[in-house]
Amino acid sequence: MMEWLASFSPVTQALFATLFTWGVTALGAGLVFFFKTINKAVLNGMLGFAAGVMIAASFWSLLNPAIEMAENLGQTAWLTAAVGFLGGGAFLWLVDKTLPHLHMGLEKEQAEGIKTNWQRSILLVLAITLHNIPEGLAVGVAFGAVAYDLPSASLAGAVALAIGIGLQNFPEGAAVSIPLRREGLSRTKSFLYGQASGAVEPVAGVIGALAVVSMQVVLPYALAFAAGAMIYVVVEELIPEAQQNEGGGSTDVATIGCMIGFTVMMILDVALG
């Protein structure tokens, strides 16, 4: 499998990888054909798992390699990492303030971003789409980095990142489609909207790979940028949503899910990368 993948260019590899992560999103969204509702504790645990995966990936797959690459390129490593990381967070902040979206469990009047008359279902899908922009970018940058044959950028490490992102996309797909079904949409529409939230990943992945393949000097910045964007999503979106405890229930499930997600991604990256 790895030899077959290595026969393609980094941009094509990134496209394959992000098509895989999109496909896993669709698999998760497909749960709507079997369930109309999802237990709140289960949903919180799934979102916590996704947060844990993204936190671990941000360091082991992105920020740590960014620091090593900056040192190899003669850059001031701490400055490169800080600029890229904060730049990623600033980018997601701008997108968050601009793109109309609505988080689960909120009324339409509480939608964030530019005010629109878009349907509630579209606003809900766009909230998850926000999560997928940095995920696709991270996978694309990781595969683009392989082109330079650096010690801290291996094909196995990029594959590990894609697998980790794919794993956490499964619950994210379900977290979109099942609530949409509960809101009255048909199973087919709920599925289509749910999987559509992952469609941005191949686009972001190809853009990320093209950027770093074209200019090696931006590679450490791009890796740190993707890490900052992912951490912004975790702190701004995933953790608050995962800690929602309707009915006064415990938030332990979300916390445990986050710990498990972090451990799984750490094992993937250390074992394969």
Side-chain angles (χ1 to χ4, degrees), residues 33-103:
F33 292 109
F34 305 97
F35 305 98
K36 186 175 181 178
T37 60
I38 184 169
N39 181 276
K40 185 66 177 176
V42 173
L43 177 60
N44 288 346
M46 290 161 63
L47 290 173
F49 178 88
V53 168
M54 291 178 72
I55 293 171
S58 294
F59 176 73
W60 269 281
S61 297
L62 300 170
L63 199 55
N64 192 46
I67 293 171
E68 292 180 7
M69 291 175 190
E71 291 174 344
N72 292 335
L73 292 172
Q75 299 174 359
T76 304
W78 64 266
L79 181 60
T80 297
V83 169
F85 186 82
L86 292 176
F91 170 73
L92 256 292
W93 179 82
L94 287 173
V95 174
D96 188 55
K97 298 302 179 186
T98 304
L99 183 69
H101 62 284
L102 177 66
H103 299 295

Side-chain angles (χ1 to χ4, degrees), residues 155-198:
L155 181 58
V159 169
L161 176 60
I163 293 173
I165 295 297
L167 285 175
Q168 63 94 40
N169 273 359
F170 185 84
E172 281 193 352
V176 181
S177 63
I178 293 177
L180 288 177
R181 173 63 177 157
R182 192 170 61 239
E183 299 229 350
L185 273 70
S186 68
R187 284 187 171 88
T188 300
K189 279 191 174 182
S190 298
F191 166 74
L192 291 175
Y193 283 156
Q195 64 82 33
S197 66

